[in-house]
Amino acid sequence: MIIEYIWNLLIGYVIITVEGLSMEKLINLAALSDIKVWELSRTSYTHLTAKTTLIGYKKLKKIADDKYNIKVFKSKGITSEVRRLYLRKALFFGILVSLL
C-alpha cells in the first residue's frame, strides 16, 4: 500500500471531476478498461470526484461518451511539480545556481 502511494507520487496523478448521469456505468467502463481510479467520492447525484493517473485520465476521456464532462481539478506528484518549476525558468535557474 505504501509502495503504491510512493509510486503514484513519483509518476504523478490527477484529481478529476466528472459531471453526468449514470456514474456507475462510467466506473464500470473504467474497470473493464483497466483504468486505475481511487478515492471516489460522489458529491451529488451528477457530480463525482476521483483520483487517477495521467495515462488513466487520457484513456477515460477516450472511453467516456459526450454525456460525461471530465475535467482535471488538480495535478499532483513530483513530475507535475518539476513541470511547474521548469515553466518558471528564472526560478528554476535561480535554484540551480544556488545549489551549485
Side-chain angles (χ1 to χ4, degrees), residues 56-67:
Y57 167 71
K58 290 177 182 178
K59 286 181 184 179
L60 196 61
K61 286 285 279 189
K62 285 182 183 178
I63 66 167
D65 296 334
D66 293 334
K67 58 185 174 180

Side-chain angles (χ1 to χ4, degrees), residues 12-98:
Y13 63 92
V14 291
I15 301 171
I16 59 171
T17 58
V18 183
E19 294 181 20
L21 298 174
S22 66
M23 295 291 180
E24 294 84 12
K25 183 178 179 183
L26 181 67
I27 295 167
N28 288 336
L29 285 173
L32 287 174
S33 300
D34 292 330
I35 300 171
K36 186 177 174 189
V37 180
W38 66 95
E39 290 190 27
L40 295 162
S41 65
R42 193 169 187 167
T43 55
S44 70
Y45 182 70
T46 61
H47 193 266
L48 176 84
T49 305
K51 293 181 182 180
T52 185
T53 61
L54 186 60
I55 297 168
Y57 167 71
K58 290 177 182 178
K59 286 181 184 179
L60 196 61
K61 286 285 279 189
K62 285 182 183 178
I63 66 167
D65 296 334
D66 293 334
K67 58 185 174 180
Y68 299 109
N69 187 11
I70 303 174
K71 294 181 183 177
V72 174
F73 177 68
K74 197 170 193 180
S75 175
K76 293 209 172 193
I78 293 176
T79 55
S80 64
E81 295 300 324
V82 169
R83 183 176 54 235
R84 284 186 199 129
L85 190 62
Y86 181 73
L87 291 176
R88 299 176 68 182
K89 299 212 187 292
L91 182 64
F92 178 71
F93 288 120
I95 291 173
L96 186 65
V97 167
S98 67

